[in-house]
Amino acid sequence: MATQDQEFPSTIIDILQSSQRVVILTGAGISAESGVPTFRQAQTGLWAQYEPTELATPAAFERDPGLVWEWYSWRRELISNTAPNPGHYALAEMESFYPDFTLITQNVDGFHQLAGSQKVVELHGNIFRNKCTGEGRHIQDLPQTDEEPPHCPNCGGLLRPDVVWFGESLPSNALDSAFKAVKFCQLFLSIGTSTIIEPAASLPFFALNNGATVIEINPQETPLTPLASYAVPQPAGDFLPKLVKAINS
Ligand code: OAD
């Protein structure tokens, strides 16, 4: 593994400029500079007494749907008061450089799409989408009601955020698209993820096994760091705009 002592070794630029099939994996770290707390950061205010793992589960929703719905309303509010940062915009620009580009995200904030990325695979869903617990159908517009959670206008079942909870399986189409893209990629960027939560955490290692160059961008070490082709200990919001400029140079 080579670490980034000089800004951009020419080998990185060559690979970034010559690759055709590129996959990006992002985690909460890319939204950290927007002010969205990462999973390993402590929660604040009323929610400081809870661990996300206590609230983002089917059992928690079963036990107290109102509490879980309120937590997601708080997170939606928090995300709505922030915005994509230069790291998101840099990845949106990068998409146009490559004929085969896939952006896989573990984040549910929708910031990649907001920044202009088109080819986004949301492994863990999207916090601004809701689904009905009765029929599983996606509900775009919330009914006008004070009920928390609201009920499905079609079947009366409780609505829930369309995000993956702990212990739930990931949307199979998203997972299939992710592994298919990684199988054939030449270049894989792992950005802002602690590389702990499966199955997303396997993707960079799968890429390495398939002979891709894997670049990690994370100020902290992760299980990927010692094995990555290049490890860049910099914040994504700083590094990615510089990387895009270097590719265009
Ligand atoms: P984590 O909170 O586990 O990790 C965030 C990572 O981002 C850490 O490794 C930080 O060092 C890094 N980081 C922080 N600021 C950064 C910055 N400015 N630039 C780059 N990196 C930065 O979040 P995830 O790895 O995304 O799953 O967590 C993965 C999954 O675990 C989440 O999607 C969630 C959680 O359980 C579900 O909810 C299903």
Side-chain angles (χ1 to χ4, degrees):
M1 178 270 300
T3 50
Q4 279 285 320
D5 35 22
Q6 75 273 30
E7 193 63 301
F8 297 104
S10 56
T11 42
I12 276 205
I13 297 303
D14 294 348
I15 290 163
L16 282 157
Q17 288 177 336
S18 60
S19 296
Q20 301 291 308
R21 299 185 303 279
V22 175
V23 170
I24 312 279
L25 171 69
T26 63
I30 193 161
S31 295
E33 289 162 85
S34 297
V36 180
T38 65
F39 275 86
R40 274 70 199 172
Q41 258 171 322
Q43 299 211 100
T44 55
L46 165 70
W47 303 102
Q49 61 189 301
Y50 296 99
E51 281 295 317
T53 44
E54 289 172 287
L55 293 167
T57 69
F61 189 74
E62 183 79 27
R63 198 172 41 249
D64 190 344
L67 178 74
V68 173
W69 183 267
E70 223 184 299
W71 179 54
Y72 278 93
S73 301
W74 173 73
R75 287 179 61 198
R76 283 170 174 153
E77 176 77 18
L78 187 125
I79 292 168
S80 309
N81 292 331
T82 58
N85 65 60
H88 295 101
Y89 289 105
L91 291 181
E93 194 181 340
M94 263 180 92
E95 186 168 306
S96 57
F97 300 168
Y98 301 101
D100 188 340
F101 182 97
T102 307
L103 198 168
I104 303 164
T105 189
Q106 302 170 88
N107 301 337
V108 296
D109 55 31
F111 276 179
H112 287 302
Q113 296 91 320
L114 221 50
S117 289
Q118 311 280 320
K119 300 173 183 170
V120 182
V121 175
E122 292 181 315
L123 282 186
H124 294 161
N126 185 306
I127 199 169
F128 292 103
R129 250 196 334 260
N130 294 288
K131 69 180 180 186
C132 160
T133 53
E135 307 157 310
R137 173 204 300 246
H138 285 146
I139 304 289
Q140 199 53 39
D141 305 313
L142 282 178
Q144 293 301 322
T145 168
D146 296 337
E147 290 174 314
E148 290 199 327
H151 287 77
C152 171
N154 304 305
C155 76
L158 283 181
L159 297 187
R160 57 163 279 188
D162 185 21
V163 296
V164 175
W165 279 338
F166 293 101
E168 289 187 321
S169 33
L170 276 59
S172 52
N173 53 340
L175 205 49
D176 294 348
S177 318
F179 274 94
K180 193 159 154 265
V182 174
K183 190 173 167 67
F184 299 104
C185 75
Q186 297 158 297
L187 175 63
F188 185 104
L189 269 63
S190 183
I191 305 170
T193 177
S194 52
T195 326
I196 298 170
I197 299 295
E198 295 297 350
S202 303
L203 292 169
F205 300 96
F206 187 48
L208 276 173
N209 290 343
N210 291 335
T213 298
V214 173
I215 300 173
E216 181 181 52
I217 301 164
N218 190 331
Q220 305 289 326
E221 295 230 339
T222 74
L224 175 64
T225 310
L227 300 174
S229 318
Y230 295 94
V232 181
Q234 291 186 35
D238 291 351
F239 183 75
L240 287 171
K242 290 188 286 188
L243 187 68
V244 164
K245 229 161 113 211
I247 299 173
N248 278 332
S249 60

